[in-house]
Amino acid sequence: MNPPDPKARVCADPANMSDGEAQRPLTFMLTYLLMKRRRDLNGAEARRRTEVRRRVRHRQYFLQRQRRTLMMLLTQSSRSCTCPLRSRVWSNTESTDWWERVVMHEFQPADWLEKFRMSKETFFYLCGILKPRLARQDTRLRPALPLEKRIAVALWRLATNVEYRIISELFGVGRSTVCKCVRDVCHAIAAILKPLYLRTPSEQELEDTTEVFQSRWGFPHCVGALGSLHVPIIAPSSNTDSYWNSSGWLSVVMQGAVNGLGQFWDVCAGFPGGTEHADILQNSTLWALGREGGLRPDPPRSFMGQPLGYLILGDAGYPLQSWLLKCYPESSHLTTGQHLFNLRLKWARRVVDDAFLRLRARWQCLHKRNDCGIDVVPTMVLACCILHNVCEVHGDTFVEEWVGAVKQGECPQPQFTTPPSSDEDEGEEVRAMYCQYFLQQVKRQDHAVGRCREIRT
């Protein structure tokens, strides 16, 4: 047997190996560990992305369910329980195309009245007349919101007073878009429709109004009834104390004059709730119209042998004028003529109370607490009065159930009384003529009744 080669032993000895050959296994081990660590990190990142996508899908699923539930609740209020299939179709509709697919094609006449407080024909008439001011052009970034949808968003807000968040989810638009739609549409209504539907009547229209008051309410020479309405608001950021009214809640006051048909022809809105009715009147155009003779017919009409102009009927919060009458203060010392005058005036002034009631029933933003900015509320009130006239003129159906909802949650309206020192002597003379007139009417009626009884006997 040959002895081992000494050179071979020297080469196999690790101590005799070069530095590169000795570090090679360590390099392999470190490379393997780094690759394994990278694979672990990539796997963890992939699992994290998968989990995030799963959570996003999960969140989108529940948001979609919430939108569908919201639409189902809204539609069930206007659809009878005998139509479950149609309700399910509505609830399964995506919010982004709910307007195009449901409102435009499936809404019935009752749905238009319930949700927009007007008929479909009046709605599209409104769209046509407001188009020059509200139409928008598409841009490269996104298409413009359709005109009809913008007006629908604003009307939904005025009719229901629901939060911007709910309207945003329902119509598939942003909350800021809802706010802008409400503001733009109200300003457009005030600018375009006010000269057409809320203006001082012409001479012939005043004459026609006197005939309505004479035939319906038994009060001659009257062209309007005047009243004030307090609209609930949230606390403004400044000057809050002036918005507290005498009934103990925050409000903005509107003053409105209506004709014999309950349509507004003069509106003044935006005063703080603590403002007295007489102060509002004296800062309105109606005061200037009455003081400057704008309510005097040409030629003057005769009443009880005296020339008399047109009259407006107010409550105790207004000063007595030759063109503005109010009741005598309640007292046990009233004469028969004064008592008759009070009864007739209260009866005739019911037209303004009914008009305010129908106004709030149609547009619940005036009945419930309005959370819009204080700078928007006056324009919103004016727009609601104009829309009230539009619906009345076009003969849109008024649902009596709306009135019941307003009466249930009605806040007590503040009452003001103007001292007798602010009353005019000419107004007292006119009021005395009406007392004599109503006494003569009663005597004629009694005489006619007596004659009928004589004839029968």
Side-chain angles (χ1 to χ4, degrees), residues 172-356:
V173 297
R175 298 184 191 180
S176 60
T177 303
V178 176
C179 181
K180 182 172 175 53
C181 287
V182 173
R183 185 185 296 266
D184 291 347
V185 171
C186 288
H187 280 287
I189 291 173
I192 296 179
L193 293 179
K194 186 176 184 294
L196 301 176
Y197 290 93
L198 203 157
R199 55 180 176 79
T200 303
S202 63
E203 181 67 28
Q204 183 59 47
E205 290 171 337
L206 289 174
E207 185 65 28
D208 295 340
T209 302
T210 59
E211 295 179 1
V212 174
F213 270 98
Q214 173 70 43
S215 60
R216 288 192 177 187
W217 311 103
F219 214 103
H221 286 257
C222 180
V223 295
L226 185 65
S228 297
L229 175 68
H230 287 252
V231 179
I233 60 171
I234 60 174
S237 58
S238 62
N239 197 23
T240 306
D241 293 340
S242 63
Y243 288 89
W244 289 99
N245 57 44
S246 59
S247 295
W249 44 281
L250 294 167
S251 65
V252 165
V253 194
M254 66 156 287
Q255 173 188 279
V258 302
N259 59 21
L261 301 177
Q263 300 170 7
F264 293 93
W265 59 267
D266 185 88
V267 171
C268 182
F271 289 86
T275 311
E276 295 187 359
H277 295 175
D279 295 335
I280 299 175
L281 174 64
Q282 292 173 2
N283 286 278
S284 66
T285 57
L286 188 61
W287 177 263
L289 183 68
R291 299 286 289 185
E292 296 173 2
L295 296 176
R296 296 175 185 172
D298 187 21
R301 306 293 191 270
S302 177
F303 179 73
M304 300 294 294
Q306 299 291 331
L308 183 65
Y310 295 126
L311 300 171
I312 297 177
L313 308 181
D315 58 22
Y318 295 104
L320 181 65
Q321 303 289 310
S322 60
W323 54 272
L324 177 60
L325 300 184
K326 64 178 181 179
C327 292
Y328 288 95
E330 292 296 334
S331 171
S332 58
H333 302 291
L334 292 180
T335 64
T336 303
Q338 292 172 345
H339 183 68
L340 287 173
F341 175 84
N342 283 0
L343 291 177
R344 291 296 184 92
L345 190 142
K346 290 178 181 178
W347 176 257
R349 280 200 75 257
R350 286 180 56 187
V351 65
V352 69
D353 296 332
D354 292 342
F356 280 140

Side-chain angles (χ1 to χ4, degrees), residues 68-83:
R68 291 175 178 176
T69 303
L70 174 64
M71 286 187 290
M72 182 177 65
L73 293 175
L74 290 172
T75 54
Q76 282 180 349
S77 64
S78 62
R79 308 294 293 180
S80 64
C81 297
T82 58
C83 301

Side-chain angles (χ1 to χ4, degrees), residues 57-70:
R57 289 195 300 268
H58 192 67
R59 180 64 177 170
Q60 289 176 345
Y61 169 74
F62 277 100
L63 287 176
Q64 186 179 16
R65 287 190 60 182
Q66 290 179 356
R67 293 191 186 101
R68 291 175 178 176
T69 303
L70 174 64

